[in-house]
Amino acid sequence: MLILNKTARVFSNPSKRKIYEYLRSFNFHPGKVFLHKLVLGIETSCDDTAAAVVDETGNVLGEAIHSQTEVHLKTGGIIPPVAQQLHRENIQRIVQEALSVSKVSPSELSAIATTIKPGLALSLGVGLSFSLQLVDKFKKPFIPIHHMEAHALTIRLTNKVEFPFLVLLISGGHCLLALVRGVSDFLLLGKSLDIAPGDMLDKVARRLSLIKHPECSTMSGGKAIEHLAKQGNKLHFDFKPPMQRAKNCDFSFTGLQHIIDKTVMQKEKEEGIEKGQILSSAADIAAAVQHTTACHIAKRTHRAILFCKQKALLSQSNAVLVVSGGVASNLYIRKALEIVANATQCTLLCPPPKLCTDNGIMIA
Ligand code: KG4
Ligand code: ZN
């Protein structure tokens, strides 16, 4: 606990680089010979209880994850106390599993890293208090982790990416564009002014009752939209991309969601069906919403790249755009971003799908 308190004091200092220097200064000599320092990462910021052990060279020794998606799909969205309860029920097992798959005992760890923000307060609290118990029991240093920074840096596990690079994080809870200048040096270029794209796609999927669709019943909202969009015609509906005149790199998805809500209501009237039944035009709506979302995300990203190049914040010849988060697994949106990357001579990199979504590895 002493170590944690010390860490917390240093963390209140504006220079985060100092914290990392401080944490690196710990040098433990465990009984078993591990060539590299080992870090246990714990993630409970939203609806995944995840843990992993990673060594300082980025080698993943083992991981475990429990996803709550199935439960939240049934309740039509995440209910924070439900998420908290599920984290409580699973955290011990998941951390134990990550350690035993890694063949590492807690005493052999060099540090324990845990997401402390941003996220659902009730969910974050479970991971944090569990970690603090471990920290106290085994007298280990604690590394507080910013969830977004972890997402942004994950690409460096799989690809050799030099700083600075541009990162686009798009998921159910995140939507931001940032220039990554160093491990804890980020310049925020744009963010959603309201909800994240995954949240909007989840809401549209719920409004279209896609959970009742035989092909989509176990899929997240975004995945269901992507699946159904393949069978639809995007030109049957004309949803305009939001914020076309805004001269910045921010995003907005609430307006689009409301327009789609209105369209669905109108179509239900036309087709003479009740709310909760599946429209015959559901696939066309899915294709159009996916297309508009892709256009909006691609346009804002294009703007950010041009800005960074103009201000010499990114290399002219060797710029890298990293895209991560659950929505980054959408191939249509990726294609739109590929077009932007090609047009601006950028290299587009996406972590493998497993590392795009929340996980313990990125925290470790
Ligand atoms: O990163 P993630 O697992 O969790 C957080 O939100 O932090 O992302 C989940 C989000 C959900 O909103 C889900 O609907 C969306 O990512 N998603 C997708 C796809 N797969 C998951 N959105 C669009 N296309 C997909 N294929
Ligand atoms: Zn996340």
Side-chain angles (χ1 to χ4, degrees), residues 68-77 211:
Q68 304 175 358
T69 305
E70 219 174 290
V71 175
H72 299 312
L73 268 178
K74 282 190 195 128
T75 53
I211 196 157

Side-chain angles (χ1 to χ4, degrees), residues 43 45-48 69 78 147 151 170-174 196-202 219-227 290 324-331 333 356-358:
E43 157 63 35
S45 67
C46 188
D47 59 346
D48 291 303
T69 305
I78 299 174
H147 183 84
H151 266 307
I170 39 175
S171 74
H174 331 312
D199 192 8
M200 183 271 293
L201 294 173
D202 290 341
M219 294 177 186
S220 68
K223 197 166 172 53
I225 296 280
E226 180 175 28
H227 179 81
Q290 178 178 252
S324 191
V327 178
S329 56
N330 183 295
L331 295 182
I333 294 172
C356 271
T357 54
D358 292 351

Side-chain angles (χ1 to χ4, degrees), residues 209-229:
S209 304
L210 297 189
I211 196 157
K212 292 187 188 156
H213 194 290
E215 292 165 27
C216 307
S217 60
T218 58
M219 294 177 186
S220 68
K223 197 166 172 53
I225 296 280
E226 180 175 28
H227 179 81
L228 217 55

Side-chain angles (χ1 to χ4, degrees), residues 96-245:
Q96 187 52 52
E97 203 178 310
L99 288 167
S100 53
V101 177
S102 310
K103 298 191 175 52
V104 168
S105 70
S107 60
E108 290 163 333
L109 295 168
S110 305
I112 296 169
T114 305
T115 309
I116 56 153
K117 64 177 184 183
L120 300 173
L122 292 179
S123 294
L124 285 165
V126 178
L128 188 59
S129 64
F130 186 85
S131 305
L132 297 191
Q133 282 171 27
L134 280 184
V135 160
D136 195 26
K137 188 168 170 196
F138 295 97
K139 303 286 176 266
K140 299 293 172 188
F142 177 70
I143 309 180
I145 299 292
H146 190 290
H147 183 84
M148 305 299 201
E149 294 184 358
H151 266 307
L153 296 169
T154 302
I155 193 72
R156 285 161 50 87
L157 268 181
T158 53
N159 297 65
K160 204 175 170 316
V161 186
E162 302 294 339
F163 299 116
F165 59 88
L166 191 65
V167 69
L168 168 70
L169 293 182
I170 39 175
S171 74
H174 331 312
C175 182
L176 62 84
L177 267 166
L179 184 70
V180 188
R181 297 185 289 208
V183 168
S184 56
D185 183 6
F186 292 76
L187 176 69
L188 184 65
L189 298 170
K191 60 183 186 334
S192 175
L193 301 178
D194 37 62
I195 59 175
D199 192 8
M200 183 271 293
L201 294 173
D202 290 341
K203 286 183 165 119
V204 170
R206 275 207 292 283
R207 185 64 187 85
L208 289 170
S209 304
L210 297 189
I211 196 157
K212 292 187 188 156
H213 194 290
E215 292 165 27
C216 307
S217 60
T218 58
M219 294 177 186
S220 68
K223 197 166 172 53
I225 296 280
E226 180 175 28
H227 179 81
L228 217 55
K230 290 185 191 131
Q231 305 161 24
N233 182 344
K234 62 175 187 272
L235 301 176
H236 279 187
F237 293 91
D238 184 20
F239 304 130
K240 295 268 180 295
M243 301 181 74
Q244 302 231 59
R245 293 196 184 162

Side-chain angles (χ1 to χ4, degrees), residues 24 30 33-41 51-63 98-99 102-104 108-111 113 143 154 156-158 360-364:
R24 269 198 294 270
V33 180
F34 279 104
L35 288 176
H36 302 288
K37 289 181 184 172
L38 307 173
V39 176
L40 168 68
V53 179
V54 176
D55 75 16
E56 66 188 306
T57 66
N59 186 25
V60 180
L61 277 78
E63 64 160 329
L99 288 167
S102 310
K103 298 191 175 52
V104 168
E108 290 163 333
L109 295 168
S110 305
I143 309 180
T154 302
R156 285 161 50 87
L157 268 181
T158 53
I361 297 171
M362 70 181 197
I363 306 305

